[in-house]
Amino acid sequence: MNNFLKRTLTAGAFVAVLLGCTYYNQLSFSVLFFCITIIGVWEFYTLSEKGENKPQKVIGTIVSASVFTTTAYVCMGYDAHLLIINIPLVFLIFISELYTKSKNPFRNIAFTILGIIYVAVPFSLLNYLVTFTGSYNHELLFGFFFILWCNDSGAYLAGSAFGKHKLFPRVSPGKSWEGSVGGAIASFIVVFIISKWYTDFSITDWVVIASILIVIGTLGDLVESLFKRSKNVKDSGTLLPGHGGILDRFDSLLMATPFVFTYLYLSQYFHQL
């Protein structure tokens, strides 16, 4: 099987599962992204191990699973006090390091907690976004996906055709300013279309969300590239043949989600004043 066919089949299966589980109901969405969170955190810790770092992979993954699960339960209508469980779990990471006899204990602690913050927290926040309107609604997350995918595709096509001025050559030599502009144009075209379909959010909200996804999403891509470059690897994993790992597929979303979450909740707060 040639590489192009492998990439196409992988992308098709990935998109079908992602959109299907997100569309079906809240439980299928939560189960899918629970698995994605676990795999993503494990990928992060595996990459972090390259060098002298020894993150606590098992405990970090357990804490990440707890963060996502308790957040999902709260968004399903359970008591928000469930989230308190995660506080002592995080501090168990410090206690556990006492027994590792590592030369760099606090570096290990830092990388363990970083995996939770960088991967588990953004994926967990998606639970709030799909229930932001008061009940489970796939539309916001579908909008996320469509905007990000069009931004990536537009950036690739425009960069391939017109790219001359490098965006951030030290981290990602292939990205150009021309590609970024092309991606932004494609994204805003999609925003105009989806704002007609997904009317729970105003056109202003969609424009702001798209702007965040374009700018912060691009920076998120660069952050993940910086991390991989520091570890001298091309892909974060091998789960998706021809496409890399979970971190490779969700790098933009991971960085942009906290910003969109903050915007929506602040917007809601000020509208209620």
Side-chain angles (χ1 to χ4, degrees):
M1 183 183 298
N2 62 49
N3 190 54
F4 176 76
L5 181 59
K6 182 192 297 184
R7 285 178 59 87
T8 302
L9 292 175
T10 300
F14 174 74
V15 169
V17 172
L18 190 65
L19 296 182
C21 289
T22 301
Y23 178 82
Y24 189 63
N25 61 26
Q26 189 170 1
L27 180 60
S28 62
F29 159 80
S30 297
V31 169
L32 174 65
F33 275 91
F34 174 84
C35 296
I36 288 173
T37 300
I38 299 305
I39 296 170
V41 168
W42 197 264
E43 278 184 5
F44 179 87
Y45 290 147
T46 300
L47 286 179
S48 299
E49 287 180 318
K50 296 181 182 298
E52 298 181 355
N53 310 310
K54 294 183 179 179
Q56 298 178 38
K57 295 174 72 173
V58 174
I59 294 180
T61 303
I62 290 172
V63 176
S64 298
S66 175
V67 169
F68 185 91
T69 302
T70 53
T71 304
Y73 270 112
V74 169
C75 291
M76 290 178 183
Y78 291 88
D79 196 323
H81 289 95
L82 281 171
L83 295 171
I84 296 175
I85 296 172
N86 300 304
I87 297 175
L89 288 179
V90 170
F91 282 91
L92 283 178
I93 295 170
F94 291 82
I95 297 172
S96 177
E97 193 65 30
L98 289 170
Y99 301 93
T100 64
K101 300 179 181 180
S102 172
K103 294 181 180 179
N104 303 293
F106 278 87
R107 181 186 295 177
N108 300 336
I109 291 170
F111 270 98
T112 305
I113 294 176
L114 181 59
I116 298 168
I117 294 173
Y118 178 55
V119 183
V121 170
F123 279 138
S124 298
L125 289 177
L126 293 179
N127 288 288
Y128 287 106
L129 297 186
V130 295
T131 56
F132 183 78
T133 57
S135 60
Y136 182 74
N137 189 336
H138 68 276
E139 293 181 357
L140 179 59
L141 199 52
F142 267 34
F144 259 51
F145 296 149
F146 297 151
I147 293 168
L148 287 173
W149 293 339
C150 286
N151 185 49
D152 288 344
S153 299
Y156 174 76
L157 294 173
S160 299
F162 309 108
K164 293 181 180 179
H165 301 87
K166 300 300 181 182
L167 179 65
F168 216 118
R170 179 173 63 87
V171 175
S172 185
K175 294 187 182 302
S176 66
W177 282 103
E178 290 83 359
S180 296
V181 172
I185 293 172
S187 296
F188 283 120
I189 291 174
V190 171
V191 164
F192 176 76
I193 296 171
I194 63 177
S195 66
K196 303 297 183 182
W197 292 346
Y198 300 156
T199 56
D200 283 334
F201 298 91
S202 68
I203 182 64
T204 301
D205 286 330
W206 279 118
V207 168
V208 173
I209 290 169
S211 299
I212 293 172
L213 292 174
I214 292 165
V215 176
I216 306 299
T218 299
L219 294 174
D221 190 336
L222 291 171
V223 167
E224 201 241 354
S225 295
L226 180 65
F227 181 47
K228 291 188 295 183
R229 185 172 288 271
S230 71
K231 300 300 180 182
N232 294 314
V233 296
K234 181 178 182 293
D235 297 319
S236 66
T238 58
L239 178 67
L240 303 169
H243 292 268
I246 289 297
L247 299 183
D248 294 316
R249 293 303 93 206
F250 289 97
D251 50 6
S252 298
L253 183 143
L254 287 173
M255 195 63 63
T257 296
F259 288 85
V260 174
F261 170 84
T262 302
Y263 161 72
L264 288 175
Y265 273 83
L266 286 178
S267 176
Q268 182 184 59
Y269 171 76
F270 286 116
H271 283 159
Q272 292 173 349
L273 290 179

